[in-house]
Every structure is written in C-alpha cells, then in structure tokens.
Amino acid sequence: MSESELAVIKPESLKTYIWLQCFDGSIQQVEEEVAMFCPMICREIVKNGTGSSKNHAIVLPERVSPASLSLILDYCRFHQVPGRSNKERKSFDEKFVRIDTEKLCKLASAALGLQLRPLVDLTCGALARIIGGKTPDEVRDIFHLPDDLTEEEKLEPLKNINDDPTIRLLNRLYAKKRKELQERQKLKDVQTQEEQKDERSLDELLCFINGDGGSRGGKAAKNKRKNKRRKDQAKNPAKTNSEPVNKEGTSCVVPRKADSGNISGLPCRPNLQGDVEDPFDDAELDDGLDPAMREEIDREVADFAMKLNLVWPERMRLDQDQRMESHVGAR
C-alpha cells in the first residue's frame, strides 16, 4: 500500500478497543491506549488477556460507577497524549476537579479502585482544600455525614504541637464547656435520685396525706380489718354459730350434763386472763342506726352484762353442789 493510500486511511480505523464492564452490568467499549493508562486495567489485559470481546469484558471494581468511569476516561484521554506542557496539564486539572463535592468523592474512590495514582492525588488535594479551615460541624454538613459524636468527644482538647495561640485559646474554651457539662450532669443525677418511685401502699399513702396517726387513716385501717373478719365469718357460718360470743368478744364455754343430752342454759364464762382488743369495735362501725337508738342498745347490753356477772358465782356454786350430791348418791 502506497503512502498516499495510508494518508487517506483515518487514524481511528487503526485503533484497537477493549470492553469494560461496570458493577451494575453496563459494558463500554474504550480505546485500548486510553484504558491502558489505568494500571488495574493494564494488568488485566497483559496478565489475563481479558477485555478483547464483549463476552470477556474486564469487570471493574464496585466503586467504579459509569459516571465516574466516564470522567476517568476523559482524564486519561488528555494525559495520555504526548507533548502536553505542564502548564496545560495544570490548567486542565484545576478545571477538572471543579465539580460537586459528592461527585468528587465518588471520583476519588473510583480512581483508587483503578489504581490511578495521579488522579487520586488530584482529587484528594481538592477535597483537602474544601475542608481546610472548616469546623467539624461544617465538614459534616458539606459531606452530609451524621453527627455520631457525644458532647464529651466534641470537647476533647486539640493537639498543639507548635504552640499555636489560636488552638490554645480554643482548648481553654473547650475546658470551660467541659466543666459546665459536668455540672449539668451532676445536677441531673441529683434530680434523678430525688424522683424515686413511691412503692407505698394505698393505706400508707392515706395515712401520710391525713398525717401520721390521723383519725381518718386509723378508721380506714380498722374498717379494712373489720371487713376482712366479716368475710371470714360469712365463709364459716357453722363455726360462728357453734360458739356463742359474749360482749367482750370471747368465746363461751357451755358445760353439758352427764345424765342428759341437752345443753344446759348456763351463761357463758368470761375470759379472765386479760383484756383482748376487740376487732369489732362498734364505736368505729357505721351501721346506719340513729345515735339515740344506738345509745339505748348499748345501755341494755351493759345492763345485761352486769346482771350476768352478778349471777355467775351463784350458778357456779349450785352446779358444784349438784355434782357433790350425785357423787354421794352413787356411793
């Protein structure tokens, strides 16, 4: 083929292409000399011989998205052309990294995955200039990072190797804020200890509200005991009816005659061992009776008790005489 014929042939027809597959499954056809500018792709072509066809495409790392790959290929197309001056390359690089911060972060990650070191340094330098002089809160706002630091971690003192007066003043401010935070925490702990859960019963709360030893609290406790005793009597009516109870609340002992199955009409013998507190104190019981009628009933009960105590010794003496006569007659 003559030189004139070679001049007519376009350079694009002499180029070879390789196939690159992103993690999302999309496949791109790229000039081999441009793709070889990335060390990772160059190693796959030379060692493994992949990328020659669509079915044997080079699988790129997951961090390399189609948008990031397009930017990387533009960078490689410019820098792989020989004869570029340093001024031209520097001007291109400055314009190349003037993109959105999120895209710049993704581009830096993709360049690291393809082991394209010059582009990694370029993007990381651009990110360093963005966050230079910014506070941690401003950096989180720029990169949309969640605030996972506690108040104590935010107030940690900064390292001041060169004895910078600005950092020294900032550490003093942090120390003051740490002291205020500790004082607030102590006050909060004291309030938490004071607000303890009240586990007292309802009766205890009523006694506390009405005052220790108050009449209403005492009445409530007595009425509660009375209601409990009434329920026990309702459950055991046979036991209640089998043993008569005198006014003092003691059980009666009813003697039986030896020669008869009938129960004698002897009165009940009072308990002389000591006074026992009567749980059924009628003075505290609200039975709905008229006060005058209640007073009359109490008076009749008192008269009956007095007569009972007067008759009891005579009845005991008659009972002993009858026993002696029966014993003599038996002999």
Side-chain angles (χ1 to χ4, degrees), residues 54-65:
K54 192 174 183 179
N55 296 330
H56 297 84
I58 299 174
V59 180
L60 301 179
E62 181 180 356
R63 63 182 68 181
V64 182
S65 62

Side-chain angles (χ1 to χ4, degrees), residues 227-242:
N227 294 333
K228 184 178 180 181
R229 187 64 62 86
R230 286 178 178 176
K231 291 180 181 179
D232 295 340
Q233 288 183 348
K235 291 180 181 179
N236 302 313
K239 182 178 180 180
T240 305
N241 297 331
S242 61

Side-chain angles (χ1 to χ4, degrees), residues 211-249:
D212 294 339
S215 60
R216 295 182 61 185
K219 290 181 179 179
K222 289 182 179 180
N223 290 334
K224 186 175 180 180
R225 291 195 298 269
K226 293 174 185 178
N227 294 333
K228 184 178 180 181
R229 187 64 62 86
R230 286 178 178 176
K231 291 180 181 179
D232 295 340
Q233 288 183 348
K235 291 180 181 179
N236 302 313
K239 182 178 180 180
T240 305
N241 297 331
S242 61
E243 296 182 357
V245 180
N246 59 12
K247 185 177 183 299
E248 288 74 10

